[in-house]
Each structure stands twice: as C-alpha cells, then as structure tokens.
Amino acid sequence: MKGQDRRHARHEPAGPPQGRIPACEARRYADRYAVPVLIMMWLAATAWVRPLMLPDEGRYVGVAWEMLRAGDWLTPTLNGLPYFHKPPLFYWITAASLGMFGLNESAARLAPLLGATAGALALLAFTQRWVGRRVATVTLLVLLAQPLWIIGGQFANLDMLVAGCISATTLLLAHAALCFERGLPYRRALAGAYAAAALGVLAKGLIGAVLPALVLLAWLAMRRRWSTLFALVSAPGMLLFLLIATPWFAAMQWRFSGFLDYFFVTQHFRRFTGSGFNNLQPFWFYPAVLSLFTLPWWPWVHRQWRRGALSDPQHGPIRLLMWLWLLVVVVFFSLPRSKLLGYVLPALPPLAYLLADGFLSLTQPSARHRRLWWGSAALAALLAFGAVITFAAHAPKSTRLLAAALSAQRASHEPIFMLGQYFFDLPFYARLRGPVAVVDDWASPRISQSDNWLKELADAGHFAKAEASRVLLTPEAFASALCVAPKAWVVAPASALGPYAFLLQARAVANTPRATLWLIDPADPRTASALGCAGTPNGD
C-alpha cells in the first residue's frame, strides 16, 4: 500500500498552495466571467443615448410593454390586438427586462445585446478551440469593431437576437462535427445546437434553423463527410428542438384559428417570394453593404485567396466553413426583392474570422501593418458610434416629447385617439395602461395592398374582431366618440388639419416635427359646434 501511495504521489499533480489560484485557472475564470461582461459593456455603451427609432424599435418594444402591462406572456399584442408577424422570444426577454429595470431605452435593448454577446462568445469559443487563442482574440476584436454589429447590438428589433442564435447554432454544429470526426465526445454540443436552433425559431421563425442547416450541409458536402452528416441527425436532438420550439405555436393555433397559415404561409413564404413589400433592393445590395461597412479591413481580404489557404490541414476546414457561411447567408437574403439591413447580420461572424485570418496569415506583420490594422479597428468603431450619436441628435420621428406632455396632463379615464398614423413608441413613453383608438378608413381596399402599420393593425384585428371594433374607428365613429368623452387627447400629423378641421378649435398641447398633441374639450361650445355634437347649433 505504501508503494502504491508513492506511485500515486508521483503521478498526481500537487494541488496549488492554499489561497492561491494557478495562472491557467485564473485565466479560465477571466475568460468565463470577465470577457462576457466586457463584451456587453462595449456593445451597450451607447444604448441609452437615443430614443426608440421608428417604426421597428417602437413597434417591438411596444408589443413587449403591452405583454408586461397585460400580464399575458403568451399572446403578443399590438394596440391590444393579437400580433403574429413574429414569434415571442424578443418580447419575453424585453418584457422581463422592462419589468426588472424599468421603462427606459437601455432595458428595451437587452434582447439584441444578448444576441450580439452570444454570437461573439460562440465565435470566440469555437475559434479558440479549433484554431488557437491568438486567432480567436483577433477575430473577436474585428467582430466587435464592426459598425453593423455594434449598431445591431443596441437596436431593439429581432435581427440581432436571431443572428446570435444562428451563429451559436452553426458553430455548435460545426464543433460537434469536428469532434465526431476526431473521435471526441460530441453529443452535448449537438444537443446545444438543437436547443439554440429552437431558440432561433422562437426569435424570428424558420430561418433560425434553416440557415445553420444549409451552412452545415454545404460544408459537409464540400468535404464529403457524409458519415458526419448522418451523425448530426439526432432523434434526441429533434425531440429537444420540438419541446422548446413548438409549444407556443401549438398554443396560438389552439387560441386563434388560422394562426399557422398566417404565420408561416403569409409571413414566411409569401414575404420571401413576393414583391409587394417595402424596401425593395437589387440583388447586389448585401454585397455592397458588407463591402462598405468593412471597407477599413479590405487590405487583409486578399490574403484569404492565397494558394493553399483551403487545403491547410488545420485551418483549411475552418476557412471553408466561414466562406460557405458567409455565402449562404448573403445569397439566401439576396434572393427576395425585399431587403432590410439587419437581415445580413448573421454573415458578420464568418466575415470577421476571414478578415482576422487574412491579417494573421502574414508571417511577421511589420510595424506598419500593425498600425494599419489598429487604425482599421479604430475607424470602424468610430463609424459605428458616430452613427449612434447622429441618430441620437436627429430623431424627428420620436414622440417622446409628446408622450411626456400626455403623461403629465392626462387623467387616466380620458381617451386617446391617433389620426391617420399609429405612433408605435407613444404607449411606451407615455406608460399607457390600455390600447388607444386609431382612426382611419378601415374598409378601404388600399389597406390590403400596403405593407405598413395599417395592414399590421388590420391583420391583427382579424384575430380579435370584437376588440378591433373598439380600437379601429372610422372617421364617422371618431366624431361621435369625441362628443361623449369628458375630455379627449388626439395625436396626429399636421396633415390631419385638412380632413379634421375641428382641430383648429382645439388646444395644441405639444408639437414635434412629426405630430401634434391636441386636447379636445366637448364642453367648449366652439369645439362642440365644430364637431357637430347634439345640442349645438349645427348638431342633430
């Protein structure tokens, strides 16, 4: 026994002195806790400086605010009407953040911040494991200096959240594949990939699972790793995916007949293949955008095309993965005619790796090369934060000032009407506890032919017709509602003075370049006469 103890003593490393942490362990703790915090601090540095931008930020944060105030965490609503353009993960995160940290812009932007951080950490962990710490660090710096990644990380819509899920899913699948090919344990990573794909579906729909699957299929097919492909098809993983992703969809279909057709057929396939949507752009839009926003880094791109770059036994498979990932995302979103800038965010992690790898492929970078690299990083970051500051200084569409006046002077029982426009951010900034009445010609055929707030509210009204009859008013019903109200508040653009001339008799409480807040008092004889209320000279 004594000899056995001596053998164990020889082969087992001695523990660290009490009270001290080995250098390698300290670095591991720093990576685990400090790096995520630093990434979030960097991305959130200016998240508070500008109001919500319209329409996207006002719309999605407004839906989350309604979810929080109503206490219904299952059905997203827009002005009290079921809103099924997108799945609920963004709303859940944002509503929870607003409940914890209050109704402010920083709390409203937690979901994209988490998405950007998750994507960055996944890229860091993957490249560090399969390429090396130096490449991983430089790749992370390139990604965090990208203007689109910085702006997307503090823009409250669904694009960055799903981009983070797509990045995590793709890299977990690739990690599982590489582990399988080397005879290493891979099932935990594979389960994580299926879970991340399910969260991607809950973040923005089918692209959360489709894009990673396309990337991995192309990568394994190019490398002819068919056994790896079959290993990634996991029955337990599919079950985990279904357990996470499907309950909400099943619940909505059970509550609202026609939900699945509207969500998948109308909002997915028709939007992808149709041309009757906003933001029509040519096929080359995304290549041009990526070239423009990564312009300071282009001196290093040509290094990716050197001979033997893809045949390198260590780095070649990773470079091929990143090229295919970049191409799949860009081509996929270039096919539809409708294009938004945020759609291309999932292409930034592989592009960051390729830019970093191009620089690091220099055998011995000179001092001039290093200065040029750091200059590229600084210029890219300055472009991003300069854009954020510009948005903060020029926010003509925001109704934050109107909301402040409304919140300060309105009694809780006084109704609110919006004319010819739904101001998405006003319920959030005014802390409204219920829906407002929106006035327009809701029977007009032009609504079904549009792709704007009118169609969004009209579509939502089809799922709750009784509530829609109370909040979607015609101009005729609007005048009658004003006559019976004690006092009423009207928010409308200046163009409303034409069809609603009685506003000339009302008191303008606050003005912005976009809209005016009026106080309507039917007890005022002039206002009552202009409205045609009963009991007035021109009334019934």
Side-chain angles (χ1 to χ4, degrees), residues 373-391:
W373 190 91
W374 283 108
S376 300
L379 178 58
L382 286 174
L383 288 174
F385 290 114
V388 172
I389 294 172
T390 301
F391 294 151

Side-chain angles (χ1 to χ4, degrees), residues 176-253:
L178 292 171
C179 286
F180 171 80
E181 292 169 4
R182 287 157 178 76
L184 301 173
Y186 71 96
R187 296 191 183 278
R188 288 181 61 184
L190 187 59
Y194 277 89
L199 293 177
V201 171
L202 287 174
K204 204 177 178 181
L206 294 177
I207 62 168
V210 169
L211 282 179
L214 290 176
V215 172
L216 264 291
L217 179 62
W219 183 53
L220 296 176
M222 290 283 288
R223 298 170 61 228
R224 299 182 180 181
R225 301 300 177 109
W226 305 114
S227 59
T228 305
L229 177 62
F230 291 125
L232 297 184
V233 179
S234 165
M238 291 181 181
L239 179 60
L240 178 62
F241 175 89
L242 293 175
L243 287 174
I244 296 173
T246 59
W248 180 79
F249 294 97
M252 291 299 97
Q253 177 62 26

Side-chain angles (χ1 to χ4, degrees), residues 361-379:
S361 65
L362 295 170
T363 305
Q364 288 188 346
S366 64
R368 175 177 171 274
H369 286 139
R370 293 191 184 94
R371 287 195 301 269
L372 184 58
W373 190 91
W374 283 108
S376 300
L379 178 58

Side-chain angles (χ1 to χ4, degrees), residues 406-407 409-416 432-434 486-487 489:
L406 179 66
S407 180
Q409 301 184 43
R410 170 182 171 261
S412 59
H413 65 281
E414 294 171 353
I416 303 170
L432 299 185
R433 308 302 302 186
K487 286 183 180 179
W489 298 84

